Structures are given as C-alpha cells and as structure tokens.
Amino acid sequence: MSALFDNLQVLFQGLALGSIYALVALGFVLIIRATNVVNFAQGDFAMLGAYAIVTFLVGLQLPYVVSIILALLVMAVFGMLFNLGVYYPLRNRSFLPVIISTLGASIFLQNTVLAVFGPQPKPLDKILNIDGIQVGGVFLDSQYLVILVVTLFAVAFQYFFFEHTLLGKKLQATSQDKDMARLLGIPVATMIAITFIYSAALGGLAGILVAPILFVSIGLGSIIALKAFAATIIGGFGDVTGAIVGGLLLGVIESFAAYYISVPYKDAYAFLALFLFLLLRPQGIFGERVSEKA
Amino acid sequence: MKAEELKAPSAGASQGKLIALLVLGALIPLLPFLIPVSQYTLNIFMNAVTYAVAVLGMVVVLGYTGQINLAQAAFFGIGAYSVALGTVGWGLSFWMAAGSGIVAAGLAGLVLGLTTLRLGGHYLAMITISFQQIFDLILVNWVEVTHGPDGIAGIPRPSVFGFVLADDRFYLLFCVAVLYACIAFVWWLPSTRLGRAMRAVRENELAAEVVGVHTLRTKVFAFTLSAMLGGIAGALYAAGFAYISPDNSSFARSIEFLTMVLLGGVQSPFGGAMGTVLLILLPEWLRFLKQIYLAIYGLAVILIMVFLPEGIWGLVRGGWRKLVPERVPPRRSVPPLDFDAGRVADGKPIMRITGLQKHFGGLRAVDGIDLEVARGSVHALIGPNGSGKTTSLNVVNGIYSPTGGQIVFEGVDVTAMKPHQRAGLGMGRTFQNIRLFQSLSALENVMVGAQRDNNPIPGGRRGLEDRALAALDFVGMGENVHMLVKNMPYGHQRMVEIARTLAGHPSLLLLDEPGAGLNQTEKQELVALLLRLRGHGLTIFLIDHDMGVVEKVSDRITVLNFGKKIAEGAPAEVLRQPDVIAAYLGEAPVHGPA
Amino acid sequence: MAPDKHKAKIAARSGYLTNFMGEQSMAVRILGRAMAAAFAALALSALAADPIHIGLVNETTGPNAEAGQYTVNGARLALEEINAAGGVLGRQLELRIEDNQSTNPGTVLAYSKLLGEGGISAIIGPIRSTQVQAASPTIAKSSIPSVIGGTDPSLTKVNNPWIFRARPNDGYSSRVIADFAVNSLKLKKVAIVHSTDAFGSGGMAALTSALKAVGVTPVFVQGYTNNSQDFTPVVLALKKSGADVLATYMTNSPDVGIFAKQLRQLGVTIPWVGSPSLVTDTAMKLAGSALHSTFAIADFTPGANPEAKAYAEKYKAKYKLDPDVYSAWAYGALHLLAAAMEQAKSAEPAAVRTGLLNTCGFKSVEGKYCFDKNGDALHGYNVVKNENGRVVFIKTITFESNK
C-alpha cells in the first residue's frame, strides 16, 4: 500500500513540476511560431514575474489578486519592451543573431534584478491559505494543485483564443506565413508584438505560481526554461499540445527516474530524454517532419 | 573581401607590413623577460591566451560553418581534465595527457557533429546545451573518477626538451606560440577545400549539398576541429593554473566563449582572439562597476548583435579598408572551359525515371512519371502552376526522397542517394531563387562547384581556380571575380550560379526556371548561353515558364499536369496539342510563381 | 616601533643608491651609506604612521555576492574597532578588497592582483573551499599568510605553510554532528542527506567516518544536486530507511527551504541535525515553521560566548542585519590578525605567520582560537536549536587540538 502511495506521490510531484515546464513551454512555443526563433530569456520572464509579485504583495502589501493582476500587467509591458529591444532590430536577420541576443537579454535581466533586489532569495505565501491536502497516503500541495488547474485554464484559454477569436486567427496566420499575412493586410509587426506581450505575461504567470514553492530568486527561471525548451522539442517543435504533453512527460520522467535510479543526476534525465528524442524522433511526439533546411 | 585577404600578399609593400606584424606579434610574449611584469598581469594573459584557443574553435564552427555550439566549455573541460587526471592521477607526461585529451575532445565533437545529420539550428543549440549540462553533472557527481567538485590540484607544468616551463613567463611564451600556430591554422583554413565547404554550408546548406559538398561530413569536421581547439585550450589552462574544477567548464563558460567570439568577430581568428582578450580584460577594468558589470555584459551582447554583426574586428577591418583601399590582385588568363573531359558517348539515355511518385500527406505532387533524357539533348519540363515540375526536379536531384519509383542516372540507380553524391556523379543544378553563397566571392562560389567529388580536373588549388575562372569566362563573368556575389546585380548572380554548376563538369545540367526574374535583354543572353551549352554537347534538363525560351532551346518537351505526364515530344508538336493548351488556358502567365 | 616592511624598502633603496654612486671610491661609498642610513632614519619617522594593508579576497559579484557582502560588513566592523582603538603597532589598518567574481579562476586573479600591488601584510581569503584550492599554489608562492574560511579539512594539510584557517574545519563539524546525535540525542540510525558539491560531499565523507569512529554506520546516504526543485524522491526513500535522526550537509538556502517543507508535508518528524546552512537567516526565512525544532551546528552563534554576544549587538546596530557566520568569521579573522601582529611586534608577513602559529587562547566571536601545526585555529562547533524561528544556543562541543 505504501509503495503505491509513494508512486502516486512521485507521480503527482512529477505532474506538478511538469505543468510548470508546460506553462513556460507554452510561452516558448508562441514565440517560436510567431518568429521562428527560440527565446532564451523565456525563463527570465518567469523570474521577473516572481519578483513583480513579491514587490506588490510583500513590498506594497497589496491583496494577492490585485498583486497578480498588476504583476501580469507589468509583464505585458515588459514583453512589449523586450520585443522592441531584443527582437525587433534583428527581425530581418537569421535566427542565430536573435538567439544570441536573447541570451544576452537573459544575462542582462538576471544581473539587473540582482543589482536591484539583492541576491537573497525571498519567500512568498501560497495563493490558498492551506498548505495542502492529505489523500490517503499522498500529500497534495495546494500550490501545486493551483498550478495544475491554472495550466489547464491557460491551455483552454489559448485554444479558444487562437481558434475562435479574430485576433487569435490573425496571430495564427502571422505565425504560419508572414508574407501571406502581410498581403492580407494583417499588421505583422503588431501581431509579433502581441505575441511577445502574451508570452511574457504567460511566463510571468508561471513565475508567480511557482514562486511560493521554489522561492523568488535570480536563477528561478533558468533551469525551468531549459527543461521547458526540452519539453517543446519532445512535444514537437512549435506545437501547442506538444508543449503541454512534453512538459508533463518530462516532469514525470524526471520524478520517477530520480526516485528509482539516482537523485543527483535528476537534471540529466531530462536532457538524456531530449537527446534520445532528437536522435530517434526529432519531430517530437506531435510534430511534423523536421525540415529546417536552408 | 575574404578572398583577397586570404591571398598571399603579392606586393613587397604588404609583405613588409606582414613581416612587421609578425615581428610585433613575436615580440609581445617576450616583453615579460625585458620589463618586470606582475604575477597578476601574467595570470591575466595566461587566462586570455588559453581561452583564445578555445574561442578559435568557435570561429571554425560558428563563424565559418554557421553551426551554433554552446558546449565549447565542455570540450575545454575534456582537455583540462585529461591533463589533470593524466598527470596527477596516472603519472602520465603532460604531452601524453594533453594528446589524449585533445583526441577525446575531438571524438566528443565528432559525435556531437553527427547529430547535425538530422538537426540544425535550434535543435543544435539545445543538443549542445544538453551535452554541456550532462558533462557538468558527471564532473560533479562522478567523484571517484573526476574528484568531483573539489577539482584537481597540483597539475605540473610540461617540459620541453627537458626544460620544465615552471617559470610563468616561459609557460606564457609556450602558450602564445600554440595560440599563434592555431591562429595561423584557422586563418589558413577558409582558403582550403574544407574551409570553402564550411563557408558554403554556412551560407546555404542546401545549395552546398546540391553542388557536391558533403555537408554532414563538413559539419562533423567543423565540430571535431572546434572541439579539438577547445581541448588544446583546456590542456594549456590546466597546466597553466595547476588547478581545475567543474566550474571551469560550466555552461556559463560556454556562453562566455560565445560572447567572446561574437564581440571580436565571429568570422576571423584575429577577431576571436581580440574578443577574448577584451572580455578577459573588461571585467578587470570594469571592476568598479561591481554588481551591474554583468548586466552591462549582457546588454553589450545585444548591442553587438544589433550594431556590430561582424564584431569589433569587422569594424577595425572596415576602418582599415577605408584608409588603405584594397588592391585587387590581377587575375590570370586561363584556357577556355573544357566540356569534353570524362564525357561518355554511348548513345544511351543519360537519365531514366520510372514510376516516380512524391506525395506530401494526401497531396500527390508527383504521381507516377516515366521519363527519359537523351544524352546531348535539351529536355524541357513544363506545366501549369502546381503541376509538380519543381517537385520533380527536387526528387531527381535528391532534395526530396521519392514516395515511389526509380531514378537511374548514368547507369547508376541514384534513387536513394544524397544530393552531393548525385553531384559527384555529374548531376549539376541551379535554383529558381538563386542560391549562391552570398558572402563568398564569385570565384569562391564557382570553386565550391569545381571541388565536387570525381571532377575530372587537375588537382590542387591551381586546378580548382583555373576551372572556376574558365567557367566564369564562359558565362561572361570573367571580370570582377573577387566581388562578393551579394553585391552583384541579379542577372549576374544567375550567371555565376550557372558557372558554379559548369565548373563541376556536369554531364547533366538541371536548370530550375533559369529565366525567372530576368529582363528581356538578359533573357536573350540566357537563350544564347543555353544554345552555346547545347552546342558543346551538354545535356540539359530544364523547367521554365517562358515558352519563348523553352521553344528556342529545347529538343524535347514533357508536359505535366496534376503530377502526371500529359504529353511529350518535339516542341512544335507538343505545344500544339489540345490538352496541353487546355491545361495552360486561363492559368498560364508567362512569368508566374511556380 | 619601526615597521619592517619600510625598513626593507628603504634598505633596498639605499643599496641602490650606493650602487648608483658606487665604484668610485671607498670613501664615497661609505659616505653614501652613511647618508642613506641618515635618510632612512628620517624617512622612518615620517612613515611610521603608514597603514598596514590587509587584503580581502571576496565574492563581491557573482552568485555568492550575498555572502560576500556580509563578509565585507564583518571585516569593516573589525577594522573600525581596531583603528578606533589606535590601530596595530601604532599604525592604522587598511583593507584592500579584491573581487573574485565567485569563481575559482577569479580567485587566482584576485590573489595575483593583490600580490602584484605589493605591500600586503596578510590576506583574508575566501570562505569557499574550492576557491582556496584554486588559489593554493598562488598562496604558497606569495609568502604572505592567508587566513581562510573554507572548511574542507584537506586545505590546511597540503603542506602550504601560508594557509591558516579561522574557522573550524568539516572534520570537526562532522565529529560534532556525530557526537551530538549519538551521545546527546542517543540516536543511532543516522540518515545523511548532502549536496553533491564540494562542501556537501566532503561533509558527507567526514561524517561517515566520524560516525564509524563511534561505531555507527548510517542507514541512508543520499546526495542531490544544488538547486533541486523537488525532494520528494529523497524524502520518500528517507522515510523507508527507518532512520531515527537526520544529518544534512546542504549548501543553498532554497534547497534547505524546499527540502524542509517537503519533509514536513510527507510527515517526517525525526530530529534533524544539520550543517550551519540550516540556521542562516535566509534559510530560516524561506523554510519558516518547517525548520522549527531542528538542530544545527554553527561555528558562530550570538549566544555562545561573551565576544559573540557583543559582536552580535554591534553588528545589528551598525548594519540593521542579523549577524551570521559570513560576517562573523571575517570579523574574527581580522581581529586574529591584529592580535598576531601585536604579538609578533611586526607586520612583516613572515613575522605575522609566526605570530599566528604562536596564537593560542585568543578569544573572539568563534570562541578560543588556538593554532595547531596545520594552521587550524578552531577545533569545535556550537550546537544550536531553532526554537520557533529563534536560534538558541545549546552547547559547545570542542575537541583537543593536535598541537
């Protein structure tokens, strides 16, 4: 019985971590689709979101809901600035300069936050007032439950937004064929800006949600982002469903491998899984055949 | 610009400058012997010199070959740990340990390079990061072998001919000598076959493959070389600082190497070395900035990307060129282009296609085509938009693998072959949207075409160059052979592309809408050129929309519609057939996108 | 008292002077010497007030900048006290701080920069063991004593006569943990959880052998990589092991926080004795109630002795921060150096070295400093308990030094 509960506990933990990866991966995927470029500062969006909420909630003592809304607004504005500063000037160049530019942005953001907030990690209250609930022999952390639910909502919202709203369809058109979208009179630059805004808010949300568990620190986003990126590839490069499934799968693989094989190599399993996927099924679970040829 | 830079300076004046530079370069590492230099300065330079060697690897893989590598610190670590474990743990000599470290790094690079078989771009970024992270975890956790996070101390200095380089000044001198040797190698590399192939891959991988470059092998070589340079750097570093630990080869260090090469200039070894020295010194100079120093570092990376794509070296060289205008070396004259080498005259069809199919999901772009191209003929493939012409061509030439059917070329079944293998058998091709190597000169572009496998020309650089010049002469582009093709007008680029193919002695020339985008005068020139080629007995298989061009040059026409052949024969009869006219009716603009 | 360093400098200068004037006649040379001596005597009186320079190689930037700032705080506080009390040997002390960017190569560079500038009497070195490892060859060549805070036992055992340690090493921390668990708590089924970094792995190895010395084999040993986001597998395995006491060597505060919370969530309540990271301010803030009732060992505890008590009050008053080991050890180290110089009656590096070796019984924040032949000054730890977020001193466990 206890072995079963232990396995369930490991599974829950894996899904919970996986849903964080998935949430960040969603932001990745949106930008990949819109610009064909991987944003290596995506994890820092989460880090910034966490610092934003800590500022409002702890610094200014605002209520939780208000703090979340304000933090998301800040992230939206930041997304716009990020687009203008990091992507827009390089939009006509190949993917390589853009990748490197986002790497630079990541270094810049982490160290700016370090200079402003100092290096001490900060604690943050959970959204719900209870620590968690005990179901049989399994402890369900309330924050992880919130994360699972929010991830579900984010996916549903994203689906509705892209498939059933005009703006969403314009965004889709932009991500599929920029030239064609331009011919149809869609303001491509604006669409890309919106993508960055949305993606920054989404990344920020991930940070806000995860902060009570992993605490608010400079490195909060980095390791999550690498895993999330691995998730996007495992799921299928640029595929929304793939990002979710990939994220969850990665979380679960990691969790069980740590439990059954070895804890110190926990971070290696994700990359090992990625390696195998890249070699055996580079298109990912849901992806079309890879054709990144010139 | 690259091309000239790589030419041996022919005039005495520039030779003088070069010698002056060399003497200056040789003097710098001797300075510590002449004037007192603090330990701190020696350490800083030892750091810079060893890192610079690793950064040269980035020049090869990223600058020349255009492949992103975020694991250079791991290769550095392999070299460093080999020296540390070899000398401290197993009592090997530095040379043995360093040698095996460099080989091990090379092997790791080779394996990583092989993954580029299927993956490029972002995937490569990710796979190199993964490799870097796993390497890091192993260094930290596999304590029995790596000594774990404690690292390894007490690494001895090497000895040269019995003289132990214990004095930092001598060791620095040694490191600088290695660095200079590596710079010379990396500087010389682009003018070699491999170097040209690398740059061709960077500029346009697909075109490189099609004109006969073994792109996978080229990328694997690039990764291997890059990794070996990383290994050399690590070996030098370990013996220099006598201590090595996992954070010497962390992901952050890889990013540092990347930033160094970008800052200095990714396409030149001098730029790479300069970027390294700058980024080592900058933190020392900027120490007063303390906390925000790294933030500025990050900001600098973005600004370099936006404003200085060629790095500081590009800026320096640009400024220098303004002061001292470039001298274009006179080109030599060569005998006219030879078409006869390796020619077969067996009267059999040069290519036979049977039951060729290519489906994309439910779309049957090519749906069972049979076709024969007679040797020495000009064969045109026409059809309305979406009839499967370009797809057919892409399958013939190996860019797509067919869903079904067979292609026999020169009596060989090439159906499963890669494009570069087909090029090696004499299949040449041009593209509808010109695919030249934009940042290479016209001459270099054509030389890449000439260096395909089995090309029946005299070997060596001279042979390649002669062939390329002859091909350029043939298409009327014999002037300005050193001009970068991106600075050429469209019509000229098209001619250079044809010359690139001709330089490879193709027995079959595939032309994908050679007339697209040309004005009337240029079109007439094209027709004349094609007729000249036909006159030389070259077999041509072409697609074009312009019936004027097709009619003037073709011996035989095949008409496609909805992926199937609907007519075939001599131009005059085919173009009069009612179903051909029907297929084109209302839909056939003379110049339309395919 | 004439400072030796300047004597040496001036002697060198007068030698130069004679050479310069030399080769003419003996008379001139003697005259020269006499002049130089007179000059030196004059200069000495003028230079007597020159400050003594103490280097501080420290983490001003990089991931450990937080701790680095505290170290500077502690050293500055000691500096002000010493200077306010008239300095050392009648001269003021001056700190020369060099950033090592929290990295090993950075440490080597910072050291060589300090040494290159010259005129340093002693150096307060890093608190991270690997950084000391990296700088060890440089320190050996420097012939200037370095007082370090890295606690890896091997650091002072590499035949480097210039390395001194102003903190107890992990050999003692593990002996104290073992002693406390087995003899005070009377618990023998020990589980060890440790970070796989240098500190954690070293601590685990030392603890295992310390337990062996008291006849106990740990029932569970588990490492984890720093910045783990989830400790569920560790906690579940720990539960299964049947351990009745948990000993930890953890490095980062967030890891402590996450691990502590998950332990409590999954119902682990066995006594927990940890390395000093359990009672850092940050870890206690992050973990909150999850760390209540845990034990930790600490080389610095505000309540452990009068010196520590006084220091804690001054530090709090000056910086409005709670004192911690990062600040305290540096405070102690600088006072220690000052005492050694006073005792040797010289700020000459070699004399400072002898002064340090002869120091025994000097009292400061971390207790009684008594150097053994390896250069280790402290030989025990305090055990403290987290009582509802307050760190309460339990006892000090000290071992005989092998002097």
Side-chain angles (χ1 to χ4, degrees):
Chain A
M1 207 47 192
S2 114
L4 172 70
F5 283 139
D6 282 1
N7 279 310
L8 284 175
Q9 184 75 53
V10 172
L11 177 69
F12 173 74
Q13 227 52 46
L15 286 174
L17 270 184
S19 60
I20 299 169
Y21 301 156
L23 214 50
V24 176
L26 266 184
F28 260 128
V29 166
L30 289 174
I31 291 183
I32 290 167
R33 283 164 56 118
T35 65
N36 226 337
V37 152
V38 170
N39 173 20
F40 275 84
Q42 192 75 27
D44 301 298
F45 289 1
M47 182 266 294
L48 284 179
Y51 274 94
I53 187 116
V54 120
T55 307
F56 293 122
L57 190 70
V58 182
L60 301 177
Q61 300 283 321
L62 298 175
Y64 220 123
V65 181
V66 179
S67 301
I68 292 181
I69 293 169
L70 285 177
L72 290 180
L73 281 176
V74 167
M75 288 312 295
V77 172
F78 170 78
M80 199 166 68
L81 295 176
F82 188 88
N83 172 46
L84 285 179
V86 180
Y87 172 72
Y88 192 74
L90 296 167
R91 65 195 178 285
N92 293 328
R93 304 251 295 275
S94 80
F95 78 96
L96 208 57
V98 188
I99 284 191
I100 293 163
S101 170
T102 60
L103 273 171
S106 171
I107 300 172
F108 172 71
L109 291 173
Q110 291 189 15
N111 287 285
T112 308
V113 171
L114 181 71
V116 175
F117 288 89
Q120 299 94 329
K122 297 172 192 348
L124 193 70
D125 288 338
K126 291 182 178 176
I127 291 180
L128 301 179
N129 257 332
I130 51 162
D131 191 35
I133 45 173
Q134 193 78 34
V135 180
V138 181
F139 182 86
L140 307 178
D141 188 302
S142 73
Q143 189 69 21
Y144 274 137
L145 290 174
V146 169
I147 291 174
L148 283 169
V149 170
V150 172
T151 306
L152 216 64
F153 268 105
V155 174
F157 172 74
Q158 191 147 326
Y159 174 78
F160 172 80
F161 179 67
F162 277 101
E163 303 298 327
H164 298 282
T165 68
L166 187 60
L167 182 59
K169 285 185 176 159
K170 282 183 180 173
L171 284 171
Q172 266 202 327
T174 308
S175 70
Q176 274 160 16
D177 188 337
K178 279 192 210 56
D179 294 330
M180 188 54 88
R182 212 167 269 131
L183 287 177
L184 291 173
I186 297 173
V188 169
T190 314
M191 290 303 124
I192 290 178
I194 291 174
T195 307
F196 270 98
I197 290 170
Y198 181 62
S199 176
L202 206 58
L205 182 65
I208 291 168
L209 290 173
V210 81
I213 295 175
L214 302 183
F215 310 120
V216 182
S217 67
I218 310 294
L220 177 69
S222 314
I223 190 81
I224 298 179
L226 277 178
K227 304 268 179 71
F229 184 38
T232 62
I233 290 184
I234 290 178
F237 201 60
D239 187 276
V240 172
T241 327
I244 308 291
V245 176
L248 293 175
L249 190 67
L250 207 60
V252 172
I253 289 177
E254 231 181 46
S255 199
F256 274 101
Y259 184 58
Y260 282 107
I261 308 173
S262 152
V263 175
Y265 285 98
K266 194 177 122 221
D267 290 335
Y269 303 125
F271 296 116
L272 220 57
L274 176 72
F275 238 90
L276 290 178
F277 260 97
L278 285 176
L279 290 177
L280 305 176
R281 196 180 158 82
Q283 69 269 40
I285 303 172
F286 292 92
E288 296 280 307
R289 270 194 66 96
V290 188
S291 55
E292 260 201 323
K293 290 222 159 184
Chain B
M1 289 195 321
K2 197 102 213 164
E4 289 80 352
E5 185 189 296
L6 296 168
K7 290 238 169 298
S10 45
S14 59
Q15 217 150 29
K17 266 180 227 156
L18 192 74
I19 289 169
L21 263 174
L22 285 177
V23 169
L24 192 71
L27 278 180
I28 290 174
L30 293 175
L31 275 181
F33 294 99
L34 307 174
I35 50 169
V37 170
S38 74
Q39 182 65 38
Y40 169 71
T41 315
L42 283 175
N43 275 345
I44 285 268
F45 276 95
M46 202 133 76
N47 203 345
V49 168
T50 50
Y51 279 16
V53 176
V55 170
L56 287 178
M58 294 298 289
V59 172
V60 174
V61 76
L62 179 65
Y64 292 168
T65 323
Q67 307 295 308
I68 194 160
N69 169 10
L70 296 173
Q72 189 67 355
F75 301 129
F76 181 87
I78 293 175
Y81 267 88
S82 296
V83 164
L85 290 172
T87 55
V88 177
W90 305 322
L92 296 178
S93 79
F94 169 82
W95 303 103
M96 276 295 295
S100 45
I102 294 161
V103 170
L107 283 176
L110 188 131
V111 171
L112 216 53
L114 280 174
T115 63
T116 62
L117 171 65
R118 300 167 73 161
L119 309 157
H122 304 102
Y123 294 93
L124 196 54
M126 196 59 218
I127 209 153
T128 53
I129 291 179
S130 304
F131 175 73
Q132 170 75 57
Q133 301 277 1
I134 293 174
F135 181 75
D136 237 21
L137 284 167
I138 291 174
L139 280 190
V140 171
N141 288 306
W142 198 14
V143 181
E144 303 82 50
V145 171
T146 64
H147 296 212
D150 276 342
I152 301 164
I155 303 161
R157 289 277 169 81
S159 58
V160 183
F161 304 118
F163 176 71
V164 182
L165 299 171
D167 187 324
D168 285 341
R169 294 174 302 176
F170 282 108
Y171 189 71
L172 184 62
L173 187 65
F174 167 67
C175 289
V176 171
V178 175
L179 173 66
Y180 284 173
C182 292
I183 288 182
F185 170 75
V186 173
W187 181 68
W188 163 77
L189 189 62
S191 62
T192 63
R193 268 172 186 258
L194 176 61
R196 256 192 311 279
M198 284 174 172
R199 291 184 298 145
V201 168
R202 175 192 73 206
E203 294 292 320
N204 199 320
E205 191 170 335
L206 181 65
E209 174 75 26
V210 163
V211 300
V213 173
H214 194 320
T215 53
L216 175 64
R217 193 173 62 199
T218 306
K219 288 187 287 183
V220 169
F221 267 129
F223 263 95
T224 310
L225 278 177
S226 166
M228 288 172 78
L229 285 164
I232 294 173
L236 290 177
Y237 180 93
F241 286 91
Y243 174 75
I244 186 89
S245 67
D247 47 342
N248 288 114
S249 48
S250 61
F251 178 52
R253 180 65 31 82
S254 278
I255 298 291
E256 211 175 313
F257 288 147
L258 178 75
T259 317
M260 285 169 174
V261 79
L262 292 171
L263 175 71
V266 71
Q267 296 191 15
S268 154
F270 304 108
M274 203 159 80
T276 312
V277 174
L278 264 179
L279 264 197
I280 295 269
L281 290 180
L282 269 183
E284 303 299 318
W285 292 338
L286 296 181
R287 276 185 181 216
F288 66 93
L289 290 173
K290 306 268 168 176
Q291 304 273 354
I292 55 165
Y293 155 70
L294 278 168
I296 291 175
Y297 185 105
L299 198 61
V301 172
I302 304 177
L303 293 177
I304 294 166
M305 280 298 106
V306 176
F307 296 110
L308 279 180
E310 287 183 56
I312 295 174
W313 182 251
L315 208 66
V316 170
R317 209 181 44 192
W320 179 250
R321 285 276 176 260
K322 263 186 202 140
L323 287 175
V324 186
E326 202 167 352
R327 234 175 29 81
V328 179
R331 56 153 293 188
R332 61 173 170 271
S333 56
V334 291
L337 190 66
D338 164 47
F339 282 89
D340 300 326
R343 165 153 308 165
V344 191
D346 56 2
K348 285 189 199 151
I350 191 165
M351 179 168 73
R352 182 181 295 125
I353 296 169
T354 38
L356 195 69
Q357 289 178 316
K358 178 66 192 173
H359 300 172
F360 296 103
L363 175 72
R364 300 175 165 214
V366 178
D367 198 12
I369 294 178
D370 298 308
L371 199 135
E372 261 179 24
V373 179
R375 193 180 295 281
S377 72
V378 174
H379 194 135
L381 187 65
I382 65 170
N385 281 331
S387 59
K389 302 183 301 289
T390 296
T391 307
S392 305
L393 205 61
N394 283 341
V395 174
V396 164
N397 148 258
I399 294 173
Y400 295 155
S401 56
T403 314
Q406 193 192 33
I407 305 161
V408 176
F409 172 62
E410 296 275 28
V412 182
D413 182 351
V414 298
T415 319
M417 282 188 184
K418 297 232 170 287
H420 75 265
Q421 291 171 304
R422 301 184 200 209
L425 292 174
M427 192 186 279
R429 138 155 214 189
T430 66
F431 295 89
Q432 181 191 346
N433 318 310
I434 299 172
R435 285 177 177 274
L436 282 169
F437 311 124
Q438 292 290 328
S439 306
L440 270 60
S441 71
L443 179 63
E444 285 178 304
N445 264 278
V446 181
M447 282 170 80
V448 174
Q451 67 185 47
R452 68 130 165 126
D453 288 347
N454 314 321
N455 195 8
I457 54 169
R461 186 185 166 85
R462 175 94 189 193
L464 286 177
E465 217 170 79
D466 283 354
R467 179 72 191 172
L469 287 170
L472 282 165
D473 282 342
F474 184 83
V475 298
M477 299 299 303
E479 313 262 314
N480 292 332
V481 295
H482 293 299
M483 192 188 244
L484 296 192
V485 293
K486 68 178 167 201
N487 299 332
M488 290 181 156
Y490 189 81
H492 289 187
Q493 292 195 15
R494 178 129 294 199
M495 291 302 151
V496 173
E497 198 188 26
I498 293 175
R500 181 176 71 185
T501 313
L502 291 178
H505 260 112
S507 52
L508 172 65
L509 186 55
L510 308 174
L511 300 176
D512 188 358
E513 303 208 21
L518 298 186
N519 63 34
Q520 277 314 314
T521 329
E522 288 169 336
K523 261 193 188 162
Q524 278 166 15
E525 285 167 14
L526 175 74
V527 168
L529 176 70
L530 293 180
L531 290 173
R532 268 165 66 216
L533 285 172
R534 186 168 74 165
H536 282 285
L538 193 66
T539 316
I540 297 174
F541 184 66
L542 89 156
I543 301 177
D544 213 297
H545 269 285
D546 189 329
M547 287 311 137
V549 174
V550 171
E551 222 177 339
K552 276 186 203 122
V553 301
S554 310
D555 297 309
R556 199 168 172 81
I557 293 179
T558 302
V559 189
L560 293 188
N561 201 15
F562 297 114
K564 285 187 166 34
K565 184 160 90 176
I566 58 169
E568 191 169 70
E573 42 181 292
V574 167
L575 294 177
R576 232 170 282 125
Q577 281 184 24
D579 45 349
V580 174
I581 296 166
Y584 267 95
L585 258 187
E587 132 31 83
V590 176
H591 305 292
Chain C
M1 193 60 223
D4 294 346
K5 185 189 71 181
H6 286 281
K7 219 189 252 170
K9 214 184 236 173
I10 287 156
R13 202 180 291 158
S14 62
Y16 177 74
L17 200 66
T18 44
N19 268 345
F20 181 67
M21 294 167 65
E23 276 111 52
Q24 291 165 4
S25 75
M26 196 61 149
V28 174
R29 212 175 295 167
I30 290 166
L31 183 69
R33 267 200 200 135
M35 269 175 65
F39 179 67
L42 245 166
L44 277 179
S45 60
L47 291 171
D50 265 13
I52 298 172
H53 291 279
I54 308 284
L56 174 60
V57 174
N58 185 53
E59 310 175 302
T60 312
T61 59
N64 305 326
E66 171 195 12
Q69 187 53 51
Y70 298 155
T71 303
V72 172
N73 287 349
R76 284 241 162 89
L77 184 56
L79 184 80
E80 283 170 19
E81 287 176 12
I82 294 166
N83 285 342
V88 176
L89 307 168
R91 294 160 65 186
Q92 295 281 292
L93 285 191
E94 207 163 88
L95 269 183
R96 295 243 291 264
I97 301 172
E98 270 312 323
D99 176 24
N100 68 6
Q101 300 164 5
S102 308
T103 66
N104 296 339
T107 307
V108 176
L109 289 181
Y111 254 100
S112 46
K113 189 166 187 198
L114 270 179
L115 298 171
E117 287 165 0
I120 303 261
S121 297
I123 292 173
I124 299 179
I127 195 170
R128 315 263 163 200
S129 297
T130 53
Q131 294 173 5
V132 180
Q133 294 264 30
S136 188
T138 315
I139 296 174
K141 266 192 271 178
S142 72
S143 301
I144 292 176
S146 273
V147 179
I148 58 152
T151 51
D152 180 342
S154 71
L155 292 177
T156 46
K157 291 178 186 156
V158 290
N159 265 335
N160 187 338
W162 299 100
I163 290 187
F164 293 87
R165 175 156 34 209
R167 288 183 67 206
N169 71 44
D170 290 332
Y172 294 110
S173 78
S174 54
R175 281 166 74 183
V176 170
I177 292 177
D179 182 83
F180 185 73
V182 177
N183 296 330
S184 301
L185 297 177
K186 314 271 181 223
L187 296 169
K188 292 191 171 161
K189 287 193 205 161
V190 185
I192 305 176
V193 171
H194 67 96
S195 154
T196 53
D197 67 8
F199 165 75
S201 311
M204 180 274 289
L207 180 55
T208 311
S209 61
L211 284 169
K212 206 171 165 192
V214 292
V216 171
T217 310
V219 295
F220 174 75
V221 177
Q222 178 64 65
Y224 68 91
T225 310
N226 283 346
N227 300 318
S228 280
Q229 297 121 344
D230 179 30
F231 285 88
T232 309
V234 180
V235 177
L236 292 175
L238 170 65
K239 264 172 95 170
K240 261 198 270 183
S241 72
D244 55 14
V245 59
L246 167 65
T248 59
Y249 275 93
M250 305 183 76
T251 308
N252 291 350
S253 304
D255 286 328
V256 173
I258 297 168
F259 180 55
K261 286 188 172 180
Q262 290 191 326
L263 271 182
R264 302 313 179 215
Q265 287 178 349
L266 298 179
V268 177
T269 53
I270 56 173
W272 177 3
V273 190
S275 64
S277 54
L278 247 56
V279 281
T280 59
D281 190 39
T282 311
M284 286 169 60
K285 264 191 203 142
L286 294 183
S289 62
L291 273 179
H292 289 178
S293 302
T294 58
F295 298 97
I297 55 150
D299 45 327
F300 165 70
T301 315
N305 56 53
E307 289 78 16
K309 213 171 275 172
Y311 165 72
E313 277 158 19
K314 277 184 271 185
Y315 187 86
K316 220 181 239 173
K318 184 165 163 68
Y319 298 106
K320 312 277 176 281
L321 283 169
D322 285 326
D324 65 356
V325 66
Y326 292 110
S327 62
W329 91 271
Y331 172 88
L334 194 60
H335 271 297
L336 183 66
L337 279 170
M341 287 178 199
E342 290 286 4
Q343 200 214 26
K345 305 209 183 329
S346 165
E348 194 70 30
V352 178
R353 175 172 181 270
T354 322
L356 284 171
L357 280 174
N358 291 334
T359 300
C360 193
F362 171 74
K363 282 188 188 167
S364 187
V365 281
E366 297 209 14
K368 251 190 227 169
Y369 295 71
C370 182
F371 280 100
D372 62 17
K373 61 176 174 21
N374 291 333
D376 271 309
L378 292 157
H379 312 278
Y381 271 91
N382 306 316
V383 178
V384 296
K385 189 175 183 189
N386 179 335
E387 272 180 2
N388 299 318
R390 259 175 359 98
V391 179
V392 179
F393 173 67
I394 302 286
K395 68 197 288 191
T396 302
I397 299 178
T398 313
F399 299 92
E400 281 296 300
S401 73
N402 51 349
K403 184 148 185 153

